[in-house]
Amino acid sequence: MKKTTKKQSSKKAKVRNKKRQTKNIALRITADFLRYNLICLVVIVLGYIILYQYALNSSDAFREKISYQLIAVFGETLGGFFYSNSVFLVLALFAAVFLFNCLAYSILTLSLFNKTYSSLTTFLDSDAEFISFPKSYSDVEIKLRDIKLGILSERQLAAESENRKNDLVMYLAHDLKTPLTSVIGYLTLLQECPELPIEQRAKFTDIALNKAYRLEQLITEFFEITRFNINKVTLEKNRIDLGMMLQQITEEFYPMLSDKGLTVEIDLIERILMFADADKIARVFDNLLKNAVNYSYENTVIRIGARIRGSKVIIKFRNRCDEIPEEKLKRLFDKFYRIDASRGSETGGSGLGLAIAKQIIELHGGTISAKSTTDYTDFTVILPFISAEDIPDEQMDF
Protein backbone atom coordinates (compact mmCIF):
# COMPACT_ATOMS: atom_id res chain seq x y z
CA MET A 1 0.00 0.00 0.00
CA LYS A 2 2.87 2.32 0.90
CA LYS A 3 4.62 1.57 -2.40
CA THR A 4 1.45 2.42 -4.31
CA THR A 5 1.09 5.68 -2.38
CA LYS A 6 4.70 6.60 -3.08
CA LYS A 7 4.30 5.88 -6.81
CA GLN A 8 1.12 7.96 -6.95
CA SER A 9 2.75 10.88 -5.12
CA SER A 10 5.76 10.62 -7.43
CA LYS A 11 3.51 10.76 -10.52
CA LYS A 12 1.63 13.74 -9.07
CA ALA A 13 4.92 15.52 -8.37
CA LYS A 14 6.05 14.96 -11.98
CA VAL A 15 2.74 16.32 -13.28
CA ARG A 16 3.08 19.38 -11.02
CA ASN A 17 6.64 19.97 -12.22
CA LYS A 18 5.53 19.77 -15.87
CA LYS A 19 2.70 22.22 -15.21
CA ARG A 20 5.08 24.53 -13.38
CA GLN A 21 7.58 24.46 -16.27
CA THR A 22 4.80 25.17 -18.79
CA LYS A 23 3.53 27.99 -16.59
CA ASN A 24 7.03 29.47 -16.27
CA ILE A 25 7.46 29.50 -20.05
CA ALA A 26 4.04 31.11 -20.52
CA LEU A 27 4.79 33.72 -17.84
CA ARG A 28 8.16 34.52 -19.40
CA ILE A 29 6.68 35.02 -22.86
CA THR A 30 3.85 37.12 -21.40
CA ALA A 31 6.32 39.19 -19.37
CA ASP A 32 8.46 39.83 -22.44
CA PHE A 33 5.38 40.82 -24.41
CA LEU A 34 4.19 43.25 -21.70
CA ARG A 35 7.70 44.64 -21.24
CA TYR A 36 7.98 45.39 -24.93
CA ASN A 37 4.58 47.11 -24.96
CA LEU A 38 5.51 49.14 -21.89
CA ILE A 39 8.64 50.36 -23.70
CA CYS A 40 6.48 51.31 -26.69
CA LEU A 41 4.09 53.23 -24.39
CA VAL A 42 6.96 55.12 -22.75
CA VAL A 43 8.40 56.04 -26.17
CA ILE A 44 4.99 57.25 -27.40
CA VAL A 45 4.38 59.31 -24.22
CA LEU A 46 7.86 60.84 -24.31
CA GLY A 47 7.43 61.63 -28.00
CA TYR A 48 4.06 63.22 -27.27
CA ILE A 49 5.49 65.37 -24.45
CA ILE A 50 8.41 66.54 -26.56
CA LEU A 51 6.15 67.31 -29.53
CA TYR A 52 3.60 69.07 -27.29
CA GLN A 53 6.24 71.26 -25.67
CA TYR A 54 7.75 72.05 -29.03
CA ALA A 55 4.32 72.95 -30.42
CA LEU A 56 3.66 75.33 -27.50
CA ASN A 57 6.85 77.21 -28.25
CA SER A 58 6.41 77.16 -32.02
CA SER A 59 4.52 79.38 -34.42
CA ASP A 60 0.91 78.94 -35.46
CA ALA A 61 2.11 77.65 -38.81
CA PHE A 62 3.66 74.58 -37.17
CA ARG A 63 0.48 73.81 -35.19
CA GLU A 64 -1.61 74.23 -38.36
CA LYS A 65 0.71 71.80 -40.11
CA ILE A 66 0.12 69.21 -37.37
CA SER A 67 -3.65 69.75 -37.65
CA TYR A 68 -3.46 69.31 -41.41
CA GLN A 69 -1.52 66.04 -41.07
CA LEU A 70 -4.01 64.62 -38.54
CA ILE A 71 -6.97 65.50 -40.78
CA ALA A 72 -5.20 63.98 -43.77
CA VAL A 73 -4.64 60.71 -41.91
CA PHE A 74 -7.81 60.34 -39.82
CA GLY A 75 -10.31 62.54 -41.67
CA GLU A 76 -11.72 65.91 -40.74
CA THR A 77 -13.94 64.84 -37.83
CA LEU A 78 -11.56 62.34 -36.19
CA GLY A 79 -8.45 64.39 -37.01
CA GLY A 80 -10.01 67.49 -35.44
CA PHE A 81 -10.99 65.46 -32.39
CA PHE A 82 -7.43 64.13 -31.92
CA TYR A 83 -6.02 67.65 -32.38
CA SER A 84 -8.32 69.01 -29.67
CA ASN A 85 -7.88 65.93 -27.39
CA SER A 86 -4.28 64.88 -27.89
CA VAL A 87 -4.35 62.38 -24.98
CA PHE A 88 -6.73 60.21 -26.97
CA LEU A 89 -4.27 60.35 -29.86
CA VAL A 90 -1.61 58.84 -27.57
CA LEU A 91 -4.01 56.08 -26.50
CA ALA A 92 -4.99 55.37 -30.11
CA LEU A 93 -1.35 55.12 -31.15
CA PHE A 94 -0.59 52.78 -28.26
CA ALA A 95 -3.62 50.63 -29.07
CA ALA A 96 -2.43 50.34 -32.67
CA VAL A 97 1.09 49.40 -31.54
CA PHE A 98 -0.34 46.89 -29.02
CA LEU A 99 -2.44 45.19 -31.70
CA PHE A 100 0.56 45.12 -34.02
CA ASN A 101 2.67 43.49 -31.31
CA CYS A 102 -0.07 40.91 -30.67
CA LEU A 103 -0.08 40.05 -34.35
CA ALA A 104 3.73 39.92 -34.50
CA TYR A 105 3.98 37.61 -31.46
CA SER A 106 1.26 35.35 -32.86
CA ILE A 107 3.05 35.11 -36.22
CA LEU A 108 6.37 34.43 -34.44
CA THR A 109 4.84 31.67 -32.30
CA LEU A 110 3.14 30.05 -35.27
CA SER A 111 6.31 30.22 -37.35
CA LEU A 112 8.31 28.54 -34.55
CA PHE A 113 5.63 25.89 -34.22
CA ASN A 114 5.73 25.35 -37.99
CA LYS A 115 9.55 25.07 -37.94
CA THR A 116 9.40 22.58 -35.08
CA TYR A 117 6.72 20.51 -36.80
CA SER A 118 8.62 20.54 -40.10
CA SER A 119 11.84 19.38 -38.40
CA LEU A 120 10.25 16.43 -36.59
CA THR A 121 11.19 14.10 -39.45
CA THR A 122 14.89 14.90 -38.92
CA PHE A 123 14.66 15.66 -35.19
CA LEU A 124 16.40 12.44 -34.14
CA ASP A 125 19.00 12.60 -36.89
CA SER A 126 22.33 13.16 -35.13
CA ASP A 127 23.62 15.20 -38.08
CA ALA A 128 20.54 17.42 -38.33
CA GLU A 129 20.99 21.07 -37.41
CA PHE A 130 19.01 22.00 -34.32
CA ILE A 131 16.34 24.69 -34.37
CA SER A 132 17.28 27.96 -32.69
CA PHE A 133 14.64 29.77 -30.64
CA PRO A 134 14.36 33.39 -29.46
CA LYS A 135 15.35 34.17 -25.89
CA SER A 136 11.76 34.02 -24.63
CA TYR A 137 11.52 30.43 -25.87
CA SER A 138 14.94 29.33 -24.57
CA ASP A 139 13.38 26.83 -22.15
CA VAL A 140 11.65 25.12 -25.06
CA GLU A 141 14.94 24.92 -26.96
CA ILE A 142 16.78 23.50 -23.94
CA LYS A 143 14.05 20.94 -23.31
CA LEU A 144 14.05 19.79 -26.93
CA ARG A 145 17.84 19.51 -26.90
CA ASP A 146 17.70 17.41 -23.71
CA ILE A 147 15.05 15.14 -25.23
CA LYS A 148 17.05 14.70 -28.41
CA LEU A 149 20.34 14.00 -26.61
CA GLY A 150 18.59 11.62 -24.21
CA ILE A 151 16.95 9.65 -27.01
CA LEU A 152 20.15 9.50 -29.06
CA SER A 153 22.09 8.35 -25.99
CA GLU A 154 19.53 5.64 -25.20
CA ARG A 155 19.51 4.59 -28.84
CA GLN A 156 23.29 4.25 -28.84
CA LEU A 157 23.28 2.26 -25.58
CA ALA A 158 20.51 0.01 -26.89
CA ALA A 159 22.43 -0.57 -30.14
CA GLU A 160 25.60 -1.43 -28.23
CA SER A 161 23.70 -3.77 -25.92
CA GLU A 162 22.00 -5.43 -28.88
CA ASN A 163 25.33 -5.88 -30.66
CA ARG A 164 26.90 -7.44 -27.57
CA LYS A 165 23.90 -9.75 -27.19
CA ASN A 166 23.98 -10.75 -30.85
CA ASP A 167 27.71 -11.47 -30.63
CA LEU A 168 27.17 -13.51 -27.50
CA VAL A 169 24.30 -15.50 -29.01
CA MET A 170 26.47 -16.19 -32.06
CA TYR A 171 29.34 -17.42 -29.86
CA LEU A 172 27.04 -19.57 -27.72
CA ALA A 173 25.32 -21.04 -30.78
CA HIS A 174 28.71 -21.92 -32.22
CA ASP A 175 29.90 -23.41 -28.92
CA LEU A 176 26.77 -25.55 -28.59
CA LYS A 177 28.06 -27.71 -31.43
CA THR A 178 31.24 -28.77 -29.63
CA PRO A 179 29.76 -30.44 -26.52
CA LEU A 180 26.81 -31.78 -28.52
CA THR A 181 29.15 -33.41 -31.04
CA SER A 182 31.18 -34.93 -28.20
CA VAL A 183 28.08 -36.29 -26.46
CA ILE A 184 26.79 -37.87 -29.68
CA GLY A 185 30.24 -39.23 -30.55
CA TYR A 186 30.92 -40.93 -27.21
CA LEU A 187 27.38 -42.28 -26.87
CA THR A 188 27.67 -43.69 -30.39
CA LEU A 189 30.92 -45.44 -29.43
CA LEU A 190 29.25 -46.91 -26.35
CA GLN A 191 26.35 -48.16 -28.44
CA GLU A 192 28.43 -49.57 -31.30
CA CYS A 193 31.12 -51.15 -29.14
CA PRO A 194 29.41 -53.07 -26.32
CA GLU A 195 32.59 -55.12 -25.79
CA LEU A 196 34.58 -52.09 -24.54
CA PRO A 197 36.36 -52.63 -21.20
CA ILE A 198 34.56 -51.32 -18.12
CA GLU A 199 37.27 -48.69 -17.49
CA GLN A 200 36.97 -47.43 -21.05
CA ARG A 201 33.17 -47.34 -20.88
CA ALA A 202 33.33 -45.45 -17.57
CA LYS A 203 35.77 -42.92 -19.07
CA PHE A 204 33.60 -42.33 -22.15
CA THR A 205 30.47 -42.06 -19.98
CA ASP A 206 32.18 -39.52 -17.73
CA ILE A 207 33.29 -37.40 -20.70
CA ALA A 208 29.82 -37.52 -22.27
CA LEU A 209 28.24 -36.54 -18.92
CA ASN A 210 30.60 -33.56 -18.48
CA LYS A 211 29.90 -32.37 -22.01
CA ALA A 212 26.16 -32.76 -21.38
CA TYR A 213 26.51 -30.57 -18.25
CA ARG A 214 28.35 -27.97 -20.32
CA LEU A 215 25.60 -28.13 -22.93
CA GLU A 216 23.01 -27.59 -20.19
CA GLN A 217 24.96 -24.57 -18.96
CA LEU A 218 25.02 -23.01 -22.42
CA ILE A 219 21.29 -23.58 -22.90
CA THR A 220 20.66 -22.02 -19.48
CA GLU A 221 22.58 -18.94 -20.60
CA PHE A 222 20.29 -18.68 -23.63
CA PHE A 223 17.30 -18.67 -21.29
CA GLU A 224 18.98 -16.06 -19.08
CA ILE A 225 19.40 -13.72 -22.04
CA THR A 226 15.72 -14.03 -22.89
CA ARG A 227 14.44 -13.78 -19.32
CA PHE A 228 16.58 -10.75 -18.58
CA ASN A 229 14.88 -8.85 -21.39
CA ILE A 230 11.25 -9.91 -20.98
CA ASN A 231 10.80 -10.42 -17.23
CA LYS A 232 10.65 -7.99 -14.37
CA VAL A 233 12.03 -9.44 -11.17
CA THR A 234 9.53 -9.55 -8.29
CA LEU A 235 10.51 -10.04 -4.66
CA GLU A 236 9.12 -12.57 -2.19
CA LYS A 237 10.70 -11.60 1.11
CA ASN A 238 11.29 -13.97 4.02
CA ARG A 239 13.69 -14.60 6.89
CA ILE A 240 17.36 -15.03 5.99
CA ASP A 241 20.26 -16.16 8.15
CA LEU A 242 23.04 -14.40 6.25
CA GLY A 243 25.90 -16.44 7.69
CA MET A 244 24.19 -19.77 7.01
CA MET A 245 23.39 -18.69 3.43
CA LEU A 246 26.99 -17.68 2.70
CA GLN A 247 28.28 -20.93 4.23
CA GLN A 248 25.89 -23.01 2.12
CA ILE A 249 26.82 -21.20 -1.12
CA THR A 250 30.52 -21.65 -0.36
CA GLU A 251 30.10 -25.39 0.15
CA GLU A 252 28.39 -25.68 -3.23
CA PHE A 253 31.50 -24.15 -4.84
CA TYR A 254 33.86 -26.72 -3.31
CA PRO A 255 34.69 -28.49 -6.63
CA MET A 256 35.48 -25.21 -8.40
CA LEU A 257 37.50 -23.96 -5.45
CA SER A 258 39.49 -27.20 -5.26
CA ASP A 259 40.42 -27.08 -8.94
CA LYS A 260 42.27 -23.76 -8.41
CA GLY A 261 43.45 -24.39 -4.87
CA LEU A 262 41.25 -21.61 -3.51
CA THR A 263 39.84 -21.27 -0.01
CA VAL A 264 37.01 -19.09 1.29
CA GLU A 265 37.06 -17.31 4.65
CA ILE A 266 33.72 -16.02 5.96
CA ASP A 267 34.01 -13.20 8.50
CA LEU A 268 30.83 -12.50 10.50
CA ILE A 269 31.32 -11.26 14.05
CA GLU A 270 27.63 -11.68 14.85
CA ARG A 271 24.60 -13.57 13.62
CA ILE A 272 22.77 -11.47 11.04
CA LEU A 273 19.09 -12.18 10.43
CA MET A 274 17.62 -10.29 7.51
CA PHE A 275 14.26 -9.87 5.80
CA ALA A 276 14.71 -10.19 2.03
CA ASP A 277 14.10 -12.45 -0.96
CA ALA A 278 16.29 -15.45 -0.12
CA ASP A 279 16.41 -16.91 -3.64
CA LYS A 280 17.29 -13.59 -5.28
CA ILE A 281 19.90 -12.61 -2.70
CA ALA A 282 21.44 -16.09 -2.92
CA ARG A 283 21.69 -15.61 -6.66
CA VAL A 284 23.57 -12.33 -6.14
CA PHE A 285 26.07 -13.99 -3.78
CA ASP A 286 26.39 -16.96 -6.13
CA ASN A 287 27.26 -14.64 -9.04
CA LEU A 288 29.76 -12.67 -6.96
CA LEU A 289 31.49 -15.83 -5.68
CA LYS A 290 31.53 -17.36 -9.16
CA ASN A 291 33.11 -14.16 -10.49
CA ALA A 292 35.73 -14.27 -7.71
CA VAL A 293 36.56 -17.92 -8.45
CA ASN A 294 36.89 -17.31 -12.20
CA TYR A 295 39.34 -14.42 -11.85
CA SER A 296 41.26 -15.20 -8.64
CA TYR A 297 44.92 -16.17 -8.65
CA GLU A 298 45.42 -19.87 -7.92
CA ASN A 299 46.08 -20.91 -4.31
CA THR A 300 44.73 -17.68 -2.83
CA VAL A 301 42.02 -16.82 -0.32
CA ILE A 302 38.60 -15.33 -1.13
CA ARG A 303 37.30 -13.34 1.84
CA ILE A 304 33.61 -12.69 2.48
CA GLY A 305 32.65 -10.37 5.31
CA ALA A 306 29.45 -8.75 6.61
CA ARG A 307 28.80 -6.00 9.14
CA ILE A 308 25.78 -4.06 10.36
CA ARG A 309 26.30 -0.29 10.21
CA GLY A 310 23.29 1.60 11.53
CA SER A 311 20.36 0.91 9.22
CA LYS A 312 22.54 -0.83 6.61
CA VAL A 313 24.14 -4.23 6.27
CA ILE A 314 27.39 -4.28 4.28
CA ILE A 315 28.56 -7.48 2.57
CA LYS A 316 32.00 -7.53 0.94
CA PHE A 317 33.60 -10.08 -1.40
CA ARG A 318 37.39 -9.71 -1.76
CA ASN A 319 39.69 -11.77 -3.97
CA ARG A 320 43.25 -11.56 -5.31
CA CYS A 321 43.38 -11.00 -9.07
CA ASP A 322 44.71 -8.70 -11.77
CA GLU A 323 43.73 -5.07 -11.35
CA ILE A 324 40.66 -4.11 -13.35
CA PRO A 325 41.20 -0.88 -15.36
CA GLU A 326 38.96 2.06 -14.45
CA GLU A 327 37.18 2.11 -17.82
CA LYS A 328 36.26 -1.58 -17.45
CA LEU A 329 35.32 -1.13 -13.80
CA LYS A 330 32.63 1.39 -14.80
CA ARG A 331 31.03 -1.12 -17.18
CA LEU A 332 31.13 -4.21 -14.95
CA PHE A 333 27.39 -4.08 -14.30
CA ASP A 334 26.35 -3.50 -17.93
CA LYS A 335 24.33 -6.20 -19.66
CA PHE A 336 26.39 -8.73 -21.64
CA TYR A 337 29.68 -7.09 -20.63
CA ARG A 338 32.57 -9.41 -19.88
CA ILE A 339 35.80 -8.18 -18.28
CA ASP A 340 37.93 -10.34 -20.54
CA ALA A 341 36.38 -10.46 -24.02
CA SER A 342 39.00 -13.03 -25.05
CA ARG A 343 37.63 -15.63 -22.64
CA GLY A 344 35.75 -18.36 -24.45
CA SER A 345 32.41 -19.72 -23.37
CA GLU A 346 34.28 -22.58 -21.72
CA THR A 347 35.58 -20.24 -19.02
CA GLY A 348 33.48 -17.11 -19.29
CA GLY A 349 29.80 -16.48 -18.64
CA SER A 350 27.15 -14.67 -20.59
CA GLY A 351 27.96 -11.29 -19.07
CA LEU A 352 24.59 -11.17 -17.31
CA GLY A 353 25.58 -12.24 -13.80
CA LEU A 354 26.65 -8.85 -12.44
CA ALA A 355 23.92 -6.99 -14.34
CA ILE A 356 21.25 -9.23 -12.80
CA ALA A 357 22.91 -8.91 -9.38
CA LYS A 358 22.70 -5.13 -9.63
CA GLN A 359 19.03 -5.29 -10.61
CA ILE A 360 18.19 -7.53 -7.64
CA ILE A 361 20.10 -5.38 -5.15
CA GLU A 362 18.45 -2.18 -6.40
CA LEU A 363 15.02 -3.82 -6.12
CA HIS A 364 15.85 -4.39 -2.45
CA GLY A 365 16.67 -0.67 -2.14
CA GLY A 366 20.42 -1.25 -1.94
CA THR A 367 23.56 -0.62 -3.97
CA ILE A 368 26.39 -2.71 -5.38
CA SER A 369 29.82 -1.39 -6.36
CA ALA A 370 33.28 -2.61 -7.33
CA LYS A 371 36.76 -1.43 -6.41
CA SER A 372 40.03 -2.77 -7.79
CA THR A 373 43.67 -2.25 -6.80
CA THR A 374 46.94 -3.99 -7.64
CA ASP A 375 46.44 -6.22 -4.56
CA TYR A 376 42.76 -7.14 -4.60
CA THR A 377 39.27 -6.56 -6.04
CA ASP A 378 36.29 -5.78 -3.82
CA PHE A 379 32.60 -6.17 -4.57
CA THR A 380 30.53 -4.36 -1.94
CA VAL A 381 26.80 -4.88 -1.44
CA ILE A 382 24.92 -2.44 0.81
CA LEU A 383 21.35 -3.36 1.75
CA PRO A 384 18.79 -1.70 4.03
CA PHE A 385 18.92 -3.75 7.24
CA ILE A 386 15.58 -4.99 8.53
CA SER A 387 16.08 -7.59 11.23
CA ALA A 388 13.84 -10.61 10.70
CA GLU A 389 13.40 -10.82 14.49
CA ASP A 390 11.68 -7.43 14.52
CA ILE A 391 9.02 -8.38 11.97
CA PRO A 392 5.69 -9.70 13.34
CA ASP A 393 4.55 -13.08 12.06
CA GLU A 394 1.40 -11.60 10.49
CA GLN A 395 3.58 -9.45 8.20
CA MET A 396 5.44 -12.52 7.01
CA ASP A 397 2.37 -13.90 5.26
CA PHE A 398 1.97 -13.25 1.50
Side-chain angles (χ1 to χ4, degrees), residues 266-283:
I266 299 177
D267 178 19
L268 273 75
I269 60 176
E270 59 181 319
R271 188 184 184 199
I272 299 177
L273 294 176
M274 296 176 58
F275 185 64
D277 189 314
D279 291 336
K280 303 296 189 299
I281 292 296
R283 183 173 184 179

Side-chain angles (χ1 to χ4, degrees), residues 119-144:
S119 66
L120 287 179
T121 53
T122 59
F123 179 71
L124 295 179
D125 188 352
S126 56
D127 298 327
E129 186 176 348
F130 202 84
I131 310 169
S132 59
F133 286 79
K135 186 177 179 181
S136 301
Y137 298 79
S138 59
D139 285 349
V140 179
E141 181 178 345
I142 293 170
K143 190 67 177 177
L144 286 174

Side-chain angles (χ1 to χ4, degrees), residues 241-243 246 265-274 285 303-318 367 379-387:
D241 186 323
L242 184 60
L246 291 172
E265 292 182 359
I266 299 177
D267 178 19
L268 273 75
I269 60 176
E270 59 181 319
R271 188 184 184 199
I272 299 177
L273 294 176
M274 296 176 58
F285 297 155
R303 290 184 169 83
I304 305 174
R307 298 288 188 275
I308 298 173
R309 294 289 184 265
S311 61
K312 306 288 184 182
V313 58
I314 303 172
I315 306 105
K316 185 171 290 186
F317 288 69
R318 173 174 292 185
T367 61
F379 282 88
T380 304
V381 174
I382 301 177
L383 289 168
F385 179 63
I386 305 175
S387 174

Side-chain angles (χ1 to χ4, degrees), residues 189-230:
L189 281 173
L190 291 171
Q191 184 183 39
E192 294 177 351
C193 303
E195 71 281 359
L196 283 173
I198 295 176
E199 296 81 4
Q200 195 78 7
R201 293 180 66 85
K203 180 181 179 181
F204 289 170
T205 302
D206 186 59
I207 293 173
L209 183 61
N210 288 333
K211 294 298 181 180
Y213 284 146
R214 179 55 186 163
L215 187 61
E216 181 187 35
Q217 181 184 353
L218 290 169
I219 293 172
T220 300
E221 289 185 356
F222 273 118
F223 280 115
E224 288 293 337
I225 293 170
T226 305
R227 286 201 307 167
F228 190 89
N229 285 318
I230 65 175

